[in-house]
Amino acid sequence: MSDYQLGDTLYEDTLGGGCHWSMRVRKGTLLTLTDVKGGANLGLLMYNPENLLEKYNAPDTLKCQHTFRLTQGHCLYSDMGRVFASIVEDDCTWHDTVCGNLNKKQLQEKWTLKTYQDALNGWTQNGYDAFLVELAKYGLTRKDMAANLNLFSKVTTDSQGNLRYEPNSKPGDSVVLRFEMDTLVLMHTCPHPLNPAAEYPVRPVHYALAKAKEVQPDDECMNSRPENIRGFKNNAIYQFSGQ
C-alpha cells in the first residue's frame, strides 16, 4: 500500500497493450499505475469535467517547475494555473511530456498496420486515434486535444539536440498520482512515437484507485516549488468560489 493511501483499494483493472480508456477521478483520489511487463507507455490527458475547455498544459507544467522531465514531487497543471494531480510516488524517475502521440502514419512506417476487421483484438492502434475515440465520448474533437504526458517513457537529448528514446520502466514499476481536483482522465497504452522496437510493443498497464490521505502542510509536491504553492492556492480558490 502507498504511504499516501488511506484504506483499501476501491477499484482496479488492467488496460491491455494498445488499448484506451477514460474515467472521471474525484479530488482526493490516488491513481496507481503499474507497468506489468516492462517497457510500457501510458499516454495521459486530463480535463476539468465541469469545464472541458480547461485541459492539461504541458508547457506550463514544465516551465513553472524548471524541468524537462517529470517525476516524484512534480505537479501536473491545467491551462488555468490549477493542479490536476501531483506525482507522489515514482519508481521510474523520468516521464516524457514533450513527444506527443504515435499517429497512424508513424505506425505504418515503423510496424505493420493491423485493422480490427482483419486482426480483431490483435489490431495495432496509435495513440492519436485512441485519444480521439475517448474525446468523442464527451463531445470533444481533435481541436480539444492537447500535448499529452507519456508515463513510463524516458526521452533525452544528444549533443546535437536530437530527442532519443531510452528504455526506462521495468516490470512492476509504478507511478502514483494524487488528484487535487475532480479530473476527467484519458489514457492509452499505445507505443511511444520514438520507440524503436522491431515489432509493435504490446505492454499492459495495471491501474488502481484508492482514497488519498489528506494533504499535509509539509507535502513534498506542494512545497517543491513556490509556483506549486500558488497552484494549490488556485485550487483552493476554485473549490471555494467555483472560479
Side-chain angles (χ1 to χ4, degrees):
M1 180 184 295
S2 166
D3 292 338
Y4 291 84
Q5 185 170 329
L6 182 66
D8 297 332
T9 296
L10 302 175
Y11 179 78
E12 60 184 318
D13 199 0
T14 297
L15 189 62
C19 295
H20 49 84
W21 188 242
S22 58
M23 56 188 172
R24 180 168 176 162
V25 179
R26 298 289 185 180
K27 177 181 182 294
T29 297
L30 282 185
L31 173 61
T32 300
L33 298 156
T34 303
D35 185 348
V36 178
K37 295 183 177 180
N41 179 71
L42 193 285
L44 185 73
L45 278 177
M46 293 170 287
Y47 296 80
N48 181 347
E50 302 301 329
N51 176 14
L52 293 171
L53 292 176
E54 182 177 2
K55 60 179 73 71
Y56 172 67
N57 189 292
D60 285 355
T61 294
L62 295 180
K63 70 184 181 183
C64 81
Q65 296 175 100
H66 300 195
T67 187
F68 175 75
R69 63 182 177 91
L70 296 175
T71 186
Q72 182 174 323
H74 288 140
C75 297
L76 308 178
Y77 277 84
S78 82
D79 52 13
M80 296 296 287
R82 292 186 273 264
V83 178
F84 276 130
S86 302
I87 304 176
V88 295
E89 294 181 3
D90 179 23
D91 293 330
C92 298
T93 73
W94 193 306
H95 302 278
D96 164 52
T97 190
V98 298
C99 288
N101 286 299
L102 180 77
N103 59 39
K104 184 177 180 180
K105 182 175 183 294
Q106 291 170 321
L107 192 156
Q108 289 176 305
E109 292 172 349
K110 287 173 173 283
W111 304 295
T112 302
L113 177 64
K114 300 177 182 178
T115 66
Y116 182 78
Q117 288 78 6
D118 294 330
L120 299 179
N121 289 336
W123 64 320
T124 52
Q125 299 193 70
N126 67 84
Y128 184 82
D129 289 335
F131 272 146
L132 285 180
V133 172
E134 294 303 322
L135 287 168
K137 295 178 180 179
Y138 308 96
L140 301 174
T141 66
R142 69 181 67 242
K143 69 179 178 61
D144 301 296
M145 194 182 299
N148 62 288
L149 175 62
N150 288 307
L151 293 174
F152 302 111
S153 292
K154 179 178 181 179
V155 174
T156 61
T157 58
D158 61 22
S159 60
Q160 303 301 313
N162 299 306
L163 295 174
R164 180 174 57 199
Y165 177 89
E166 297 184 13
N168 188 46
S169 183
K170 306 182 300 298
D173 279 353
S174 294
V175 56
V176 183
L177 304 181
R178 182 187 64 205
F179 283 84
E180 315 299 354
M181 59 184 286
D182 286 3
T183 304
L184 176 62
V185 177
L186 280 61
M187 53 189 180
H188 69 67
T189 51
C190 299
H192 189 278
L194 298 184
N195 191 323
E199 296 183 359
Y200 181 93
V202 180
R203 298 292 184 268
V205 172
H206 180 270
Y207 64 94
L209 299 169
K211 185 174 178 58
K213 294 179 181 178
E214 186 175 348
V215 178
Q216 298 301 308
D218 63 348
D219 183 75
E220 177 185 13
C221 297
M222 182 172 63
N223 292 288
S224 63
R225 296 292 309 173
E227 292 84 356
N228 290 353
I229 295 175
R230 291 196 290 271
F232 272 77
K233 287 181 179 178
N234 288 341
N235 279 39
I237 292 169
Y238 178 71
Q239 297 297 331
F240 178 75
S241 65
Q243 299 180 354

